[in-house]
mmCIF file of all heavy atoms in Angstrom:
data_model
loop_
_atom_site.group_PDB
_atom_site.id
_atom_site.type_symbol
_atom_site.label_atom_id
_atom_site.label_comp_id
_atom_site.label_asym_id
_atom_site.label_seq_id
_atom_site.Cartn_x
_atom_site.Cartn_y
_atom_site.Cartn_z
ATOM 1 N N ARG A 1 139.867 419.750 131.650
ATOM 2 C CA ARG A 1 139.397 421.013 131.069
ATOM 3 C C ARG A 1 140.399 421.569 130.066
ATOM 4 O O ARG A 1 141.527 421.906 130.421
ATOM 5 C CB ARG A 1 139.193 422.025 132.198
ATOM 6 C CG ARG A 1 138.759 423.368 131.708
ATOM 7 C CD ARG A 1 138.624 424.342 132.864
ATOM 8 N NE ARG A 1 138.266 425.645 132.356
ATOM 9 C CZ ARG A 1 138.734 426.777 132.798
ATOM 10 N NH1 ARG A 1 139.586 426.779 133.799
ATOM 11 N NH2 ARG A 1 138.364 427.906 132.266
ATOM 12 N N GLU A 2 140.013 421.667 128.828
ATOM 13 C CA GLU A 2 140.808 422.292 127.769
ATOM 14 C C GLU A 2 142.304 422.024 127.896
ATOM 15 O O GLU A 2 143.099 422.947 128.103
ATOM 16 C CB GLU A 2 140.544 423.805 127.746
ATOM 17 C CG GLU A 2 139.094 424.171 127.496
ATOM 18 C CD GLU A 2 138.864 425.665 127.472
ATOM 19 O OE1 GLU A 2 138.601 426.231 128.564
ATOM 20 O OE2 GLU A 2 138.952 426.260 126.388
ATOM 21 N N PRO A 3 142.723 420.773 127.734
ATOM 22 C CA PRO A 3 144.141 420.443 127.908
ATOM 23 C C PRO A 3 145.070 421.201 126.949
ATOM 24 O O PRO A 3 146.235 421.417 127.277
ATOM 25 C CB PRO A 3 144.215 418.939 127.689
ATOM 26 C CG PRO A 3 142.868 418.492 127.284
ATOM 27 C CD PRO A 3 141.908 419.599 127.483
ATOM 28 N N ALA A 4 144.567 421.638 125.818
ATOM 29 C CA ALA A 4 145.402 422.409 124.884
ATOM 30 C C ALA A 4 145.798 423.758 125.495
ATOM 31 O O ALA A 4 146.834 424.317 125.148
ATOM 32 C CB ALA A 4 144.668 422.627 123.567
ATOM 33 N N ILE A 5 144.991 424.251 126.421
ATOM 34 C CA ILE A 5 145.277 425.528 127.079
ATOM 35 C C ILE A 5 145.947 425.309 128.434
ATOM 36 O O ILE A 5 146.922 425.978 128.771
ATOM 37 C CB ILE A 5 143.976 426.347 127.264
ATOM 38 C CG1 ILE A 5 143.418 426.749 125.896
ATOM 39 C CG2 ILE A 5 144.217 427.575 128.144
ATOM 40 C CD1 ILE A 5 142.057 427.419 125.950
ATOM 41 N N TYR A 6 145.417 424.369 129.223
ATOM 42 C CA TYR A 6 145.849 424.201 130.609
ATOM 43 C C TYR A 6 146.779 423.014 130.842
ATOM 44 O O TYR A 6 147.265 422.835 131.949
ATOM 45 C CB TYR A 6 144.625 424.064 131.525
ATOM 46 C CG TYR A 6 143.743 425.289 131.493
ATOM 47 C CD1 TYR A 6 142.560 425.299 130.774
ATOM 48 C CD2 TYR A 6 144.110 426.452 132.159
ATOM 49 C CE1 TYR A 6 141.754 426.433 130.726
ATOM 50 C CE2 TYR A 6 143.323 427.584 132.121
ATOM 51 C CZ TYR A 6 142.144 427.567 131.399
ATOM 52 O OH TYR A 6 141.361 428.693 131.346
ATOM 53 N N GLY A 7 147.007 422.194 129.820
ATOM 54 C CA GLY A 7 147.890 421.044 129.963
ATOM 55 C C GLY A 7 147.140 419.797 130.400
ATOM 56 O O GLY A 7 145.944 419.830 130.688
ATOM 57 N N SER A 8 147.864 418.706 130.475
ATOM 58 C CA SER A 8 147.240 417.413 130.768
ATOM 59 C C SER A 8 147.391 416.983 132.227
ATOM 60 O O SER A 8 146.798 415.989 132.638
ATOM 61 C CB SER A 8 147.834 416.340 129.860
ATOM 62 O OG SER A 8 149.233 416.265 130.063
ATOM 63 N N ARG A 9 148.180 417.720 133.007
ATOM 64 C CA ARG A 9 148.348 417.345 134.419
ATOM 65 C C ARG A 9 147.103 417.741 135.208
ATOM 66 O O ARG A 9 146.518 418.801 134.975
ATOM 67 C CB ARG A 9 149.594 417.994 135.009
ATOM 68 C CG ARG A 9 150.865 417.454 134.374
ATOM 69 C CD ARG A 9 152.101 417.948 135.060
ATOM 70 N NE ARG A 9 152.331 419.354 134.702
ATOM 71 C CZ ARG A 9 153.315 420.089 135.191
ATOM 72 N NH1 ARG A 9 154.160 419.584 136.073
ATOM 73 N NH2 ARG A 9 153.469 421.341 134.811
ATOM 74 N N ASP A 10 146.738 416.920 136.177
ATOM 75 C CA ASP A 10 145.508 417.153 136.931
ATOM 76 C C ASP A 10 145.755 418.020 138.171
ATOM 77 O O ASP A 10 146.891 418.396 138.478
ATOM 78 C CB ASP A 10 144.812 415.838 137.293
ATOM 79 C CG ASP A 10 145.599 414.963 138.258
ATOM 80 O OD1 ASP A 10 146.616 415.419 138.842
ATOM 81 O OD2 ASP A 10 145.186 413.810 138.450
ATOM 82 N N TYR A 11 144.664 418.313 138.878
ATOM 83 C CA TYR A 11 144.746 419.207 140.040
ATOM 84 C C TYR A 11 145.620 418.620 141.148
ATOM 85 O O TYR A 11 146.373 419.350 141.793
ATOM 86 C CB TYR A 11 143.340 419.521 140.564
ATOM 87 C CG TYR A 11 143.360 420.552 141.669
ATOM 88 C CD1 TYR A 11 143.748 421.861 141.421
ATOM 89 C CD2 TYR A 11 143.008 420.210 142.971
ATOM 90 C CE1 TYR A 11 143.785 422.809 142.434
ATOM 91 C CE2 TYR A 11 143.039 421.160 143.991
ATOM 92 C CZ TYR A 11 143.431 422.450 143.720
ATOM 93 O OH TYR A 11 143.463 423.393 144.712
ATOM 94 N N ASN A 12 145.555 417.312 141.349
ATOM 95 C CA ASN A 12 146.410 416.690 142.370
ATOM 96 C C ASN A 12 147.886 416.854 142.028
ATOM 97 O O ASN A 12 148.722 417.020 142.917
ATOM 98 C CB ASN A 12 146.054 415.216 142.565
ATOM 99 C CG ASN A 12 144.752 415.048 143.313
ATOM 100 O OD1 ASN A 12 144.375 415.899 144.125
ATOM 101 N ND2 ASN A 12 144.038 413.975 143.032
ATOM 102 N N SER A 13 148.207 416.839 140.734
ATOM 103 C CA SER A 13 149.587 417.085 140.307
ATOM 104 C C SER A 13 150.003 418.516 140.631
ATOM 105 O O SER A 13 151.143 418.761 141.031
ATOM 106 C CB SER A 13 149.743 416.845 138.805
ATOM 107 O OG SER A 13 149.481 415.510 138.482
ATOM 108 N N LEU A 14 149.078 419.464 140.451
ATOM 109 C CA LEU A 14 149.366 420.854 140.803
ATOM 110 C C LEU A 14 149.627 420.980 142.298
ATOM 111 O O LEU A 14 150.587 421.625 142.714
ATOM 112 C CB LEU A 14 148.218 421.771 140.384
ATOM 113 C CG LEU A 14 148.365 423.242 140.806
ATOM 114 C CD1 LEU A 14 149.612 423.877 140.202
ATOM 115 C CD2 LEU A 14 147.108 424.023 140.437
ATOM 116 N N LEU A 15 148.780 420.355 143.110
ATOM 117 C CA LEU A 15 148.971 420.423 144.564
ATOM 118 C C LEU A 15 150.325 419.847 144.975
ATOM 119 O O LEU A 15 151.029 420.434 145.801
ATOM 120 C CB LEU A 15 147.841 419.686 145.278
ATOM 121 C CG LEU A 15 146.445 420.286 145.153
ATOM 122 C CD1 LEU A 15 145.435 419.409 145.874
ATOM 123 C CD2 LEU A 15 146.407 421.708 145.673
ATOM 124 N N ALA A 16 150.696 418.712 144.395
ATOM 125 C CA ALA A 16 151.992 418.097 144.705
ATOM 126 C C ALA A 16 153.132 419.021 144.295
ATOM 127 O O ALA A 16 154.108 419.190 145.038
ATOM 128 C CB ALA A 16 152.115 416.743 144.012
ATOM 129 N N PHE A 17 153.000 419.653 143.132
ATOM 130 C CA PHE A 17 154.016 420.589 142.643
ATOM 131 C C PHE A 17 154.156 421.780 143.589
ATOM 132 O O PHE A 17 155.271 422.200 143.914
ATOM 133 C CB PHE A 17 153.661 421.053 141.223
ATOM 134 C CG PHE A 17 154.633 422.035 140.660
ATOM 135 C CD1 PHE A 17 155.820 421.604 140.088
ATOM 136 C CD2 PHE A 17 154.374 423.399 140.699
ATOM 137 C CE1 PHE A 17 156.738 422.518 139.574
ATOM 138 C CE2 PHE A 17 155.271 424.319 140.185
ATOM 139 C CZ PHE A 17 156.467 423.876 139.617
ATOM 140 N N ILE A 18 153.032 422.330 144.022
ATOM 141 C CA ILE A 18 153.046 423.478 144.935
ATOM 142 C C ILE A 18 153.713 423.096 146.254
ATOM 143 O O ILE A 18 154.580 423.820 146.765
ATOM 144 C CB ILE A 18 151.616 424.005 145.168
ATOM 145 C CG1 ILE A 18 151.085 424.671 143.890
ATOM 146 C CG2 ILE A 18 151.573 424.959 146.353
ATOM 147 C CD1 ILE A 18 149.593 424.960 143.914
ATOM 148 N N LYS A 19 153.332 421.962 146.809
ATOM 149 C CA LYS A 19 153.881 421.539 148.101
ATOM 150 C C LYS A 19 155.380 421.260 148.009
ATOM 151 O O LYS A 19 156.143 421.635 148.900
ATOM 152 C CB LYS A 19 153.113 420.327 148.620
ATOM 153 C CG LYS A 19 151.704 420.695 149.056
ATOM 154 C CD LYS A 19 150.864 419.506 149.443
ATOM 155 C CE LYS A 19 149.450 419.980 149.784
ATOM 156 N NZ LYS A 19 148.526 418.903 150.016
ATOM 157 N N GLU A 20 155.802 420.640 146.928
ATOM 158 C CA GLU A 20 157.226 420.357 146.729
ATOM 159 C C GLU A 20 158.010 421.663 146.552
ATOM 160 O O GLU A 20 159.085 421.839 147.130
ATOM 161 C CB GLU A 20 157.412 419.467 145.498
ATOM 162 C CG GLU A 20 158.850 419.111 145.201
ATOM 163 C CD GLU A 20 158.981 418.231 143.959
ATOM 164 O OE1 GLU A 20 158.123 417.357 143.752
ATOM 165 O OE2 GLU A 20 159.951 418.442 143.209
ATOM 166 N N SER A 21 157.455 422.583 145.774
ATOM 167 C CA SER A 21 158.112 423.879 145.553
ATOM 168 C C SER A 21 158.232 424.653 146.861
ATOM 169 O O SER A 21 159.287 425.232 147.155
ATOM 170 C CB SER A 21 157.334 424.705 144.527
ATOM 171 O OG SER A 21 157.306 424.065 143.283
ATOM 172 N N ALA A 22 157.164 424.668 147.645
ATOM 173 C CA ALA A 22 157.177 425.391 148.919
ATOM 174 C C ALA A 22 158.202 424.791 149.876
ATOM 175 O O ALA A 22 158.955 425.523 150.523
ATOM 176 C CB ALA A 22 155.780 425.372 149.545
ATOM 177 N N ALA A 23 158.238 423.472 149.959
ATOM 178 C CA ALA A 23 159.188 422.807 150.854
ATOM 179 C C ALA A 23 160.621 423.157 150.469
ATOM 180 O O ALA A 23 161.458 423.417 151.337
ATOM 181 C CB ALA A 23 158.978 421.293 150.813
ATOM 182 N N GLY A 24 160.900 423.199 149.176
ATOM 183 C CA GLY A 24 162.230 423.541 148.700
ATOM 184 C C GLY A 24 162.636 424.971 149.033
ATOM 185 O O GLY A 24 163.819 425.294 149.079
ATOM 186 N N LEU A 25 161.644 425.819 149.271
ATOM 187 C CA LEU A 25 161.902 427.220 149.617
ATOM 188 C C LEU A 25 161.805 427.475 151.120
ATOM 189 O O LEU A 25 161.929 428.616 151.569
ATOM 190 C CB LEU A 25 160.899 428.122 148.883
ATOM 191 C CG LEU A 25 161.020 428.154 147.363
ATOM 192 C CD1 LEU A 25 159.774 428.748 146.730
ATOM 193 C CD2 LEU A 25 162.268 428.945 146.974
ATOM 194 N N GLY A 26 161.533 426.421 151.882
ATOM 195 C CA GLY A 26 161.392 426.577 153.324
ATOM 196 C C GLY A 26 160.102 427.275 153.724
ATOM 197 O O GLY A 26 160.047 427.913 154.777
ATOM 198 N N LEU A 27 159.077 427.133 152.911
ATOM 199 C CA LEU A 27 157.782 427.737 153.207
ATOM 200 C C LEU A 27 156.799 426.684 153.685
ATOM 201 O O LEU A 27 156.828 425.539 153.222
ATOM 202 C CB LEU A 27 157.189 428.389 151.938
ATOM 203 C CG LEU A 27 157.944 429.548 151.316
ATOM 204 C CD1 LEU A 27 157.308 429.921 149.984
ATOM 205 C CD2 LEU A 27 157.969 430.735 152.254
ATOM 206 N N GLU A 28 155.920 427.085 154.570
ATOM 207 C CA GLU A 28 154.774 426.263 154.938
ATOM 208 C C GLU A 28 153.637 426.703 154.018
ATOM 209 O O GLU A 28 153.397 427.896 153.850
ATOM 210 C CB GLU A 28 154.409 426.503 156.400
ATOM 211 C CG GLU A 28 153.311 425.595 156.915
ATOM 212 C CD GLU A 28 153.019 425.841 158.388
ATOM 213 O OE1 GLU A 28 153.947 426.227 159.130
ATOM 214 O OE2 GLU A 28 151.854 425.666 158.766
ATOM 215 N N VAL A 29 152.948 425.758 153.424
ATOM 216 C CA VAL A 29 151.911 426.106 152.455
ATOM 217 C C VAL A 29 150.611 425.371 152.761
ATOM 218 O O VAL A 29 150.628 424.235 153.230
ATOM 219 C CB VAL A 29 152.377 425.820 151.006
ATOM 220 C CG1 VAL A 29 152.472 424.341 150.713
ATOM 221 C CG2 VAL A 29 151.480 426.488 149.988
ATOM 222 N N GLU A 30 149.519 426.075 152.534
ATOM 223 C CA GLU A 30 148.185 425.484 152.630
ATOM 224 C C GLU A 30 147.458 425.819 151.345
ATOM 225 O O GLU A 30 147.516 426.956 150.870
ATOM 226 C CB GLU A 30 147.440 426.053 153.831
ATOM 227 C CG GLU A 30 146.101 425.404 154.079
ATOM 228 C CD GLU A 30 145.445 425.915 155.354
ATOM 229 O OE1 GLU A 30 146.127 425.955 156.397
ATOM 230 O OE2 GLU A 30 144.258 426.302 155.280
ATOM 231 N N CYS A 31 146.771 424.835 150.766
ATOM 232 C CA CYS A 31 146.064 425.031 149.505
ATOM 233 C C CYS A 31 144.559 424.958 149.714
ATOM 234 O O CYS A 31 144.081 424.163 150.524
ATOM 235 C CB CYS A 31 146.482 423.981 148.482
ATOM 236 S SG CYS A 31 148.231 424.073 148.036
ATOM 237 N N PHE A 32 143.854 425.779 148.952
ATOM 238 C CA PHE A 32 142.393 425.853 149.015
ATOM 239 C C PHE A 32 141.870 426.031 147.599
ATOM 240 O O PHE A 32 142.436 426.807 146.827
ATOM 241 C CB PHE A 32 141.971 427.038 149.896
ATOM 242 C CG PHE A 32 140.489 427.273 149.934
ATOM 243 C CD1 PHE A 32 139.674 426.508 150.764
ATOM 244 C CD2 PHE A 32 139.900 428.240 149.138
ATOM 245 C CE1 PHE A 32 138.302 426.721 150.802
ATOM 246 C CE2 PHE A 32 138.532 428.465 149.164
ATOM 247 C CZ PHE A 32 137.726 427.692 149.998
ATOM 248 N N GLN A 33 140.799 425.333 147.273
ATOM 249 C CA GLN A 33 140.145 425.497 145.967
ATOM 250 C C GLN A 33 138.650 425.548 146.178
ATOM 251 O O GLN A 33 138.086 424.790 146.974
ATOM 252 C CB GLN A 33 140.493 424.327 145.030
ATOM 253 C CG GLN A 33 140.021 424.489 143.585
ATOM 254 C CD GLN A 33 138.563 424.119 143.328
ATOM 255 O OE1 GLN A 33 138.016 423.222 143.961
ATOM 256 N NE2 GLN A 33 137.926 424.802 142.399
ATOM 257 N N SER A 34 138.004 426.450 145.466
ATOM 258 C CA SER A 34 136.550 426.511 145.504
ATOM 259 C C SER A 34 136.009 427.046 144.193
ATOM 260 O O SER A 34 136.651 427.865 143.526
ATOM 261 C CB SER A 34 136.061 427.403 146.645
ATOM 262 O OG SER A 34 134.643 427.404 146.668
ATOM 263 N N ASN A 35 134.834 426.573 143.862
ATOM 264 C CA ASN A 35 134.098 427.077 142.706
ATOM 265 C C ASN A 35 133.143 428.195 143.115
ATOM 266 O O ASN A 35 132.400 428.700 142.281
ATOM 267 C CB ASN A 35 133.311 425.943 142.047
ATOM 268 C CG ASN A 35 134.229 424.875 141.491
ATOM 269 O OD1 ASN A 35 135.236 425.175 140.864
ATOM 270 N ND2 ASN A 35 133.899 423.618 141.723
ATOM 271 N N HIS A 36 133.178 428.581 144.394
ATOM 272 C CA HIS A 36 132.213 429.542 144.939
ATOM 273 C C HIS A 36 132.918 430.809 145.404
ATOM 274 O O HIS A 36 133.807 430.763 146.265
ATOM 275 C CB HIS A 36 131.438 428.901 146.096
ATOM 276 C CG HIS A 36 130.777 427.628 145.692
ATOM 277 N ND1 HIS A 36 129.601 427.591 144.996
ATOM 278 C CD2 HIS A 36 131.158 426.344 145.850
ATOM 279 C CE1 HIS A 36 129.264 426.339 144.746
ATOM 280 N NE2 HIS A 36 130.204 425.558 145.253
ATOM 281 N N GLU A 37 132.495 431.927 144.876
ATOM 282 C CA GLU A 37 133.115 433.209 145.188
ATOM 283 C C GLU A 37 133.110 433.507 146.687
ATOM 284 O O GLU A 37 134.121 433.920 147.246
ATOM 285 C CB GLU A 37 132.377 434.317 144.427
ATOM 286 C CG GLU A 37 132.940 435.693 144.615
ATOM 287 C CD GLU A 37 132.171 436.737 143.827
ATOM 288 O OE1 GLU A 37 130.958 436.551 143.579
ATOM 289 O OE2 GLU A 37 132.782 437.751 143.468
ATOM 290 N N GLY A 38 131.981 433.305 147.345
ATOM 291 C CA GLY A 38 131.889 433.590 148.775
ATOM 292 C C GLY A 38 132.839 432.749 149.602
ATOM 293 O O GLY A 38 133.409 433.230 150.591
ATOM 294 N N ALA A 39 133.044 431.496 149.213
ATOM 295 C CA ALA A 39 133.979 430.630 149.937
ATOM 296 C C ALA A 39 135.411 431.154 149.800
ATOM 297 O O ALA A 39 136.202 431.097 150.747
ATOM 298 C CB ALA A 39 133.876 429.198 149.432
ATOM 299 N N ILE A 40 135.736 431.685 148.637
ATOM 300 C CA ILE A 40 137.063 432.260 148.428
ATOM 301 C C ILE A 40 137.223 433.519 149.273
ATOM 302 O O ILE A 40 138.257 433.722 149.917
ATOM 303 C CB ILE A 40 137.313 432.527 146.926
ATOM 304 C CG1 ILE A 40 137.366 431.190 146.174
ATOM 305 C CG2 ILE A 40 138.595 433.331 146.715
ATOM 306 C CD1 ILE A 40 137.348 431.311 144.661
ATOM 307 N N VAL A 41 136.193 434.360 149.311
ATOM 308 C CA VAL A 41 136.223 435.566 150.147
ATOM 309 C C VAL A 41 136.394 435.172 151.614
ATOM 310 O O VAL A 41 137.217 435.747 152.332
ATOM 311 C CB VAL A 41 134.956 436.420 149.934
ATOM 312 C CG1 VAL A 41 134.849 437.526 150.972
ATOM 313 C CG2 VAL A 41 134.939 437.005 148.523
ATOM 314 N N ASP A 42 135.633 434.183 152.066
ATOM 315 C CA ASP A 42 135.761 433.714 153.453
ATOM 316 C C ASP A 42 137.178 433.227 153.744
ATOM 317 O O ASP A 42 137.743 433.525 154.803
ATOM 318 C CB ASP A 42 134.768 432.578 153.738
ATOM 319 C CG ASP A 42 133.323 433.035 153.813
ATOM 320 O OD1 ASP A 42 133.073 434.247 153.963
ATOM 321 O OD2 ASP A 42 132.439 432.161 153.717
ATOM 322 N N CYS A 43 137.754 432.484 152.815
ATOM 323 C CA CYS A 43 139.111 431.949 152.991
ATOM 324 C C CYS A 43 140.123 433.093 153.115
ATOM 325 O O CYS A 43 141.007 433.054 153.976
ATOM 326 C CB CYS A 43 139.445 431.037 151.814
ATOM 327 S SG CYS A 43 141.051 430.234 151.946
#
């Protein structure tokens, strides 16, 4: 999606980055993605 705006790295790369960053900070992290507003509200 629009790599000129969002870059060329994919969603799995983002997840890996988040998990690595959290581990380095001593945080436990859980990731969730949805295209549905209600699912986000439920989460």
Side-chain angles (χ1 to χ4, degrees):
R1 178 182 177 220
E2 300 180 271
I5 294 173
Y6 299 103
S8 59
R9 294 187 286 177
D10 66 11
Y11 186 66
N12 286 331
S13 297
L14 175 61
L15 294 178
F17 179 82
I18 290 168
K19 289 174 183 173
E20 180 180 322
S21 298
L25 294 164
L27 297 172
E28 186 178 329
V29 70
E30 185 175 312
C31 297
F32 175 81
Q33 188 278 327
S34 182
N35 296 316
H36 305 281
E37 182 180 28
I40 294 169
V41 169
D42 289 343
C43 183

